[in-house]
Structure formats: structure tokens, C-alpha cells
Amino acid sequence: MNDSAGARRTRRRAGRTGCAVEATLSVIGGLWKPVILFHLLEGKLRFNALCRLVPAATPRMVTLQLRELEADGVLRRIVYPEVPPKVEYELTDLGVSLAPVLVSMRDWGERLQASDQRPVPARAC
């Protein structure tokens, strides 16, 4: 069985509209992907650390999101040959290039929360 991310999944980008925004959202869209990516801006993280940083997402959901992001070339999964197995996730150059987008999304969200006077969750990005 081929365990490479590319063999598991092929994503069509901007197939419906041809719009670049659609292409971006096809990679980072959803609730958990941008949050995971934002946390990975700080550097490599292990799976359990990511789960702790995104406690509302189930471990299964985090796994699925990580697999999709890996398949899209945004992050890399590093497996260390040791017992017990050690796996880390880090952004690729393509993933690092998302930093301005992710920081802008955070800043915009903070302004939205402030203007709506919504309570900010205890664990903010």
C-alpha cells in the first residue's frame, strides 16, 4: 500500500469557477485547517500538541485535516524511526507563504469580535 499523501487524494482547485479565491479556499477552507495552520506558523508540532491547541476538534478530525493539508503540499509529516514512533508536522514553503493570509484572518476576526462585543473564547489564537 502506498502511504504517500499524493496517492491518497487529488484535489481539484478552482474547478467550478476558475476563481483564485476558490483555489485558496479549496486548500485552507473549513473551520479547523486555518486554525491548525496558524498554530504551525510557530514551528513543528506533534499530533497531541495540535490536538491540545484545537480541543474542540476530535482527534479523528485533526487527522483528516492534516492528511488533506499534506496532500495539498501545505504541510509535511515527519516520521522519526524510533520506538515509540515520533511524528511531527511542519509547514512547507507553500504553507509558510500563507502566513500573511492567516494573520490577516486573525486580525479581522479580532476586530469582528470587538465590534460585536462577542465574548472571546479562553483559548484564542
Side-chain angles (χ1 to χ4, degrees), residues 7 20-21 41-42 52 55 58-59 62 73 78 100 109 120:
V21 173
L41 288 175
E42 297 294 319
R52 282 191 298 275
T58 65
V62 173
I78 304 163
V120 178

